Amino acid sequence: MLRLVSLQLIATMVAGVLAALLGGWPAMFSAVLGGLCCVVPNGIMALRLFASTKTGGANPLTFFFWEFIKIGLTLALLGATAYLYRDLNWLALLAGFIVALKSYIFLLFRH
């Protein structure tokens, strides 16, 4: 799972560079922030699940609890980004978010 989070981070940075080329600095920051709204909660969940497997095994209840926390944190980060960043480019934000969400497809094609 940590490999997936690192791939999401790389895909977010690529989306940020493309957004900078197409729309300038505000679009780049919007795309990177959109991707980070996905990467940060996934990273926290991956670390917690990794820690729970070291202490005695993964529990399905733990997985669903952290999945709920991940969704809530993702929504909170998106809301905070929309509220705090005044030069927000919504198209770039959504593009960065979707690129980060769908970056696992690259791992599927790798095997």
Side-chain angles (χ1 to χ4, degrees), residues 20-111:
L21 293 173
L22 295 173
W25 290 105
M28 182 200 72
F29 287 124
S30 297
V32 170
L33 287 172
L36 287 177
C37 288
C38 178
V39 173
V40 171
N42 284 340
I44 292 171
M45 182 177 172
L47 288 175
R48 287 299 305 158
L49 289 178
F50 181 73
S52 70
T53 58
K54 292 291 183 186
T55 61
N59 183 358
L61 184 61
T62 304
F63 174 79
F64 286 115
F65 174 75
W66 282 102
E67 185 69 25
F68 179 72
I69 296 296
K70 182 182 86 167
I71 292 169
L73 185 57
T74 300
L75 292 174
L77 286 173
L78 284 170
T81 301
Y83 181 73
L84 296 174
Y85 186 47
R86 297 293 175 205
D87 292 334
L88 186 64
N89 183 331
W90 282 97
L91 183 62
L93 176 92
L94 290 175
F97 187 73
I98 290 170
V99 165
L101 277 177
K102 298 303 176 186
S103 62
Y104 67 90
I105 292 173
F106 296 120
L107 280 179
L108 292 175
F109 288 124
R110 217 175 118 198
H111 293 286

